Amino acid sequence: ENQINYEKDLPCPEALLDRAEAVLDMVYAPTPFTPFIKAAQQRGKVILTGEEMFLRQAEHQYRLWKCGV
């Protein structure tokens, strides 16, 4: 089985990362800065971390629950 170790491996080939404009890494614990995010930062990419995704999702869920919108 080819499992990725997110604490030390990139989830894609570096050439693909070089072509990307932005990356999203859904990992938010224990730290949002995985090797994938660090590699994207070094290349000047727009990054979204799992922590940011988690907070935006929570905000949207709160609006749905509180406002019904």
Side-chain angles (χ1 to χ4, degrees), residues 24-35:
L24 167 64
D25 196 338
M26 302 283 285
V27 176
Y28 59 87
T31 176
F33 299 106
T34 62

Side-chain angles (χ1 to χ4, degrees), residues 20-55:
E21 292 181 26
V23 299
L24 167 64
D25 196 338
M26 302 283 285
V27 176
Y28 59 87
T31 176
F33 299 106
T34 62
F36 182 54
I37 291 295
K38 289 176 185 174
Q41 284 179 320
Q42 291 172 347
R43 290 166 170 80
K45 307 300 179 180
V46 174
I47 62 165
L48 296 168
T49 64
E51 183 177 33
E52 187 170 346
M53 182 276 313
F54 180 77
L55 292 172

Side-chain angles (χ1 to χ4, degrees), residues 2 8-9 14-15 32-33 37 43 49 52 56 69:
N2 288 337
K8 67 175 188 166
D9 298 328
E14 288 191 43
F33 299 106
I37 291 295
R43 290 166 170 80
T49 64
E52 187 170 346
R56 288 181 185 219
V69 178

